[in-house]
Amino acid sequence: MTQPTTAYCNCGACSVSVDREPRHRLYCHCSVCQRVYGQPYADVTILPAAAVSVPENTRITFDRYKSPPAIRRGMCPDCKTPVVGFMTYGPGLRLAYIPATAFKTNPPETKPMVHLFYKTRQADVEDRLPKIAGTIASFIAGTPLVLGALFSRR
């Protein structure tokens, strides 16, 4: 992706604009992602929230699916699929999480880097990526990805 693009829900009714290539991508096996995505794990890209624009007249509905601090997940009210999620890590430190599949016309070139919360997986995954099991270990392993996305220059 060398130019701005759009990320869509599954039915195309809701979208967000993205002005840069996501440089970080991961698989999340936490129970919230399993429930929200309706799949064994979420395949998400991570980028600074400032790189994502949500239209003013959007129909995306935002909610948290666990107690804060938690990702505010934006869902399409029609197809009930995620479009974008936002997480604030501190003053001026905000990330956007966008499903890799939401980039319908211009998929991200970034490859997934890790499986997080693998302890709650629904099935084993056969690949060579690191698989981080516990909650604390997943937070620790995810920290470089979060920091990299927060302080990404491109």
Side-chain angles (χ1 to χ4, degrees):
M1 173 189 322
T2 57
Q3 57 190 356
T5 192
T6 304
Y8 298 91
C9 65
N10 284 350
C11 74
C14 295
S15 65
V16 295
S17 297
V18 181
D19 75 2
R20 69 175 74 171
E21 171 77 24
R23 293 181 55 217
H24 299 84
R25 183 172 168 188
L26 60 87
Y27 295 129
C28 183
H29 295 262
C30 78
S31 58
V32 174
C33 282
Q34 291 172 6
R35 188 171 68 242
V36 169
Y37 284 79
Q39 299 177 79
Y41 56 86
D43 176 0
V44 295
T45 63
I46 309 170
L47 58 161
V52 178
S53 300
V54 178
E56 283 187 36
N57 62 345
T58 189
R59 294 182 51 233
I60 298 171
T61 56
F62 286 90
D63 199 1
R64 285 189 176 88
Y65 293 84
K66 62 183 264 184
S67 301
I71 297 173
R72 280 187 62 239
R73 298 169 191 264
M75 308 285 286
C76 171
D78 296 337
C79 66
K80 310 287 190 250
T81 59
V83 184
V84 64
F86 292 103
M87 177 76 174
T88 301
Y89 290 88
L93 302 176
R94 207 166 156 241
L95 285 180
Y97 294 82
I98 299 178
T101 57
F103 296 97
K104 308 267 190 250
T105 59
N106 203 358
E109 295 176 11
T110 303
K111 301 293 181 210
M113 302 163 145
V114 66
H115 290 268
L116 297 180
F117 300 97
Y118 200 68
K119 182 178 181 177
T120 55
R121 70 190 178 279
Q122 292 179 347
D124 289 339
V125 177
E126 299 297 325
D127 63 25
R128 294 178 180 250
L129 296 176
K131 293 166 180 72
I132 312 301
T135 300
I136 292 172
S138 291
F139 281 119
I140 291 169
T143 297
L145 300 176
V146 167
L147 292 174
L150 279 171
F151 299 108
S152 170
R153 295 279 183 228
R154 43 178 194 143

